[in-house]
Amino acid sequence: MACVKLGSKSEVFHLDGQTWLCSTGLPSDIVVEVGETSFHLHKFPLLSRSGLLENVIGEVSSEDEQECIVQLHDIPGGAKSFLLVAKFCYGVRIELNASNVVSLKCAAEYLRMGEDYGEGNLITKAEDFLNEIFSNWSDSIKALETCEEVLPHAEELHLVSRCINSLAMKASADPGLFSWPVSGKDATESSEGVAFWNGICTTARPHPVSEDWWYEDVCSLKFPLYKRLILAVESGSMKPERIAGSIMHYAKRHLSLLGRQSSFRNGNHAASLSTVSAPSNPDQRNLLEEIVELLPHQKGVTPTNFLLRLLRTSMILQASTSCRENLERQVGAQLDQAALEDLLIPNMGYSVETLYDTDCVQRILDHFMLMDRDSIECTSSCIVDEGQLMGASHSLTPMTMVANLVDGYLAEVAPDVNLKLQKFQSLAAVIPEYARPLEDGIYRAIDIYLKAHPWLTDSEREQVCRLMNCQKLSLEASTHAAQNERLPLRVIVQVLFFEQLRLRTSVASWFFVSDNLENSQNQSGNLVLGRNEASAYAGTARRDHTVTVDDMRERVSELEKECLSMKQEMEKLVNTKGSWNTFLKRFGLRLKSKSDAKKASKPRSDSKEAPTSIAPPLMKGKQDFENNELRE
């Protein structure tokens, strides 16, 4: 830290209680009162250096010749600064450093200690030293911190703006150009990069400086000064990501609730409720609102998980409505980057009905749909091939990623018995149908909701099932749905019908490829193989194709009979338990009884039941639907 010593005389000041005495051998002829502290001094050293004291001493002396008392209660820095001023006037050595130069500069200006009252007066000395510390990062930070003590005077003398501009210029500079520790903390704590040669400590090759080297140092500033520094840095050429990183670092340091959020997902209900019921701190609430306003508004600059943490904290602190709406809007703009655990926001309203705040998620989804509405082109297809659904040809667009996120969120909130049917439907219906290449996620959420709400009527269960498209279920999901007695009968029939239709489409496409292969083999002029090799290859291929075609024709014939039988049975069917079992048995299906379920189920570590397959797979290479953790 830079410092300079002024004067050469030995110490002549000593403190007696609240009184400073000057032992020069002469009796004091003036008393200067600063707050509760008194200074017994001499007139001449003071009036010879200060224009203000010259005028005040002259006025007081003319009024009362016996006792001269001067009151300087408004002097910047108080008694501490005036003690340094008095020592300077007496020629006593004083030490200028980054911690006292600002208040001393303000006190010198207040007392008018310019060059008119002696060459090299205190104003000039303080100004020269300020110019020196502005070249050092850590000294500039300390000088800016001390501006808080004499803020009105420092603002008037433009000392605050000078410190901020100095810091902003250094923070915005390319860190790769630095060849020395820019932070005083790094310079003292880092033991790397030091080498010894013949017992002499030398500095080795300097370490590269990261872009966040200044984050920790500026956290020591009060928020008004920190905000001005960020605005000054923002007006320069600094990237918004670096500005957001500094604000996040500052928020984590000063917002105590930001790091003490408990998640209901982890099972810590008691800690969560205690956090929710914590009293609101006005200072923390005001700080959070200011931080939210300071965050860059560019999309993707601030991480979504941090925005959601701020949103939770704003609910705990009961921040203003505009603050929460601002956060919800920013989260909605980049919802595709969110994680499910961050979206599970505990309900903190006055009338807590549901475990999680579904209304907040609904508003975030509405913001996402509103911002992406112009860029969305609605495309739909009536029948989607199984290979298309299970393949990796679908790119993860933002809408698709949000659809997967919403499906996972619905599966998490579905077990809540207080979740209304209308709320579940409104959350699921926000996502357009084309955004889900597979409907397994929404089917899983619907199945969990139906299990947690067994009192729903048949019409209500049908309303819930309309949220999914049975054509887009995978093979494993269709197999599970075909034996799921929680689903309405109409949905079961649709699943079976679309499975048959999908199989017929696959068989037809296979016949088309097979015919083309046989035609190409008959054209001997186009074959590269020899005649004998071609004959052997064609014979083997024909035998394999004949066996496969016969099997497929037999399967298609059986499915056509099943479809015709289904249409006839639907007219005779009544919605009873017995008729339901009779209907399923006619098509080779069987409802699982409780005893069968116990035999078929296997214990798992997560206590979730896996669906039991009731039919052999019709196609190979498909994903196992048990990975989606369907719950019986």
Side-chain angles (χ1 to χ4, degrees), residues 191-458:
S191 60
E192 300 180 0
V194 177
F196 289 90
W197 180 79
N198 288 342
I200 302 175
C201 180
T202 60
T203 303
R205 179 175 56 86
H207 293 278
V209 181
S210 60
E211 292 185 344
D212 60 350
W213 61 267
W214 56 281
Y215 290 177
E216 181 67 23
D217 292 333
V218 298
C219 283
S220 60
L221 298 175
K222 297 294 182 62
F223 186 78
L225 294 179
Y226 173 79
K227 180 178 180 180
R228 292 178 59 177
L229 175 60
I230 291 298
L231 294 177
V233 169
E234 190 176 11
S235 61
S237 58
M238 181 174 288
K239 298 178 182 179
E241 290 80 4
R242 293 178 59 188
I243 297 176
S246 176
I247 299 174
M248 291 167 55
H249 198 88
Y250 190 91
K252 293 175 182 178
R253 170 67 67 86
H254 295 279
L255 288 176
S256 57
L257 288 176
L258 196 63
R260 297 205 306 264
Q261 294 179 9
S262 300
S263 175
F264 288 175
R265 188 181 180 87
N266 297 332
N268 194 358
H269 295 262
S272 301
L273 292 176
S274 63
T275 302
V276 172
S277 60
S280 176
N281 189 331
D283 294 335
Q284 289 276 292
R285 180 172 61 248
N286 296 334
L287 177 60
L288 183 138
E289 293 174 356
E290 292 281 353
I291 287 176
V292 172
E293 288 294 330
L294 193 59
L295 282 171
H297 296 285
Q298 292 91 333
K299 179 180 177 181
V301 171
T302 307
T304 309
N305 61 344
F306 179 75
L307 292 174
L308 286 169
R309 289 176 62 188
L310 282 179
L311 183 58
R312 290 189 185 191
T313 309
S314 67
M315 294 177 178
I316 297 174
L317 295 176
Q318 300 177 4
S320 62
T321 304
S322 60
C323 176
R324 294 197 298 268
E325 290 178 351
N326 190 358
L327 288 171
E328 291 174 357
R329 191 180 304 108
Q330 293 189 57
V331 172
Q334 53 194 53
L335 185 58
D336 55 295
Q337 304 174 12
L340 177 58
E341 56 269 18
D342 297 323
L343 207 60
L344 296 174
I345 304 174
N347 201 335
M348 302 174 191
Y350 292 103
S351 57
V352 178
E353 296 181 356
T354 57
L355 186 63
Y356 296 110
D357 195 341
T358 55
D359 293 332
C360 177
V361 176
Q362 180 78 60
R363 292 191 296 269
I364 292 175
L365 282 171
D366 293 339
H367 286 302
F368 174 79
M369 297 301 299
L370 182 63
M371 293 181 180
D372 283 4
R373 181 173 298 173
D374 297 336
S375 60
I376 292 175
E377 296 179 0
C378 296
T379 57
S380 59
S381 56
C382 295
I383 300 178
V384 183
D385 183 68
E386 174 76 11
Q388 265 187 311
L389 293 178
M390 301 302 295
S393 59
H394 294 277
S395 60
L396 290 178
T397 62
M399 182 60 71
T400 304
M401 297 173 68
V402 172
N404 295 335
L405 182 64
V406 171
D407 292 346
Y409 180 80
L410 289 173
E412 291 293 333
V413 301
D416 191 347
V417 295
N418 292 325
L419 182 63
K420 304 298 182 183
L421 175 62
Q422 293 78 9
K423 178 55 63 177
F424 184 87
Q425 287 179 303
S426 62
L427 284 172
V430 170
I431 304 299
E433 183 180 351
Y434 71 87
R436 294 186 176 102
L438 271 178
E439 298 281 331
D440 291 8
I442 188 64
Y443 167 64
R444 174 173 175 262
I446 291 174
D447 186 39
I448 296 173
Y449 186 80
L450 292 178
K451 180 180 179 180
H453 301 76
W455 54 83
L456 294 178
T457 63
D458 293 341

Side-chain angles (χ1 to χ4, degrees), residues 450-555:
L450 292 178
K451 180 180 179 180
H453 301 76
W455 54 83
L456 294 178
T457 63
D458 293 341
S459 60
E460 290 175 337
R461 288 189 293 123
E462 289 188 359
Q463 291 179 17
V464 177
C465 292
R466 291 193 190 104
L467 296 171
M468 69 176 176
N469 186 353
C470 297
Q471 302 179 64
K472 294 185 179 181
L473 293 177
S474 65
L475 177 62
E476 292 295 333
S478 299
T479 303
H480 184 276
Q483 63 172 343
N484 191 350
E485 62 181 339
R486 287 188 288 269
L487 298 179
L489 178 60
R490 186 185 302 274
V491 178
I492 299 291
V493 175
Q494 288 179 355
V495 171
L496 293 174
F497 173 77
F498 288 126
E499 277 301 304
Q500 183 209 33
L501 190 59
R502 186 183 304 176
L503 180 61
R504 293 185 61 183
T505 304
S506 301
V507 171
S509 62
W510 187 89
F511 277 132
F512 178 76
V513 174
S514 177
D515 292 341
N516 289 341
L517 180 61
E518 292 178 357
N519 293 335
S520 64
Q521 290 175 351
N522 292 333
Q523 298 176 0
S524 59
N526 295 332
L527 293 178
V528 180
L529 298 175
R531 182 173 299 178
N532 295 334
E533 295 177 358
S535 300
Y537 176 79
T540 303
R542 287 192 186 98
R543 285 194 299 270
D544 295 341
H545 292 161
T546 300
V547 175
T548 308
V549 168
D550 291 342
D551 293 342
M552 298 301 292
R553 284 176 178 172
E554 182 179 356
R555 179 58 178 161

Side-chain angles (χ1 to χ4, degrees), residues 167-178 211 213 237-238 242:
L167 293 171
M169 181 184 65
K170 293 178 178 62
S172 302
D174 185 5
L177 300 177
F178 296 133
E211 292 185 344
W213 61 267
S237 58
M238 181 174 288
R242 293 178 59 188

Side-chain angles (χ1 to χ4, degrees), residues 93-104:
R93 179 179 298 178
I94 64 173
E95 181 179 330
L96 288 180
N97 53 48
S99 300
N100 62 20
V101 65
V102 172
S103 59
L104 200 57

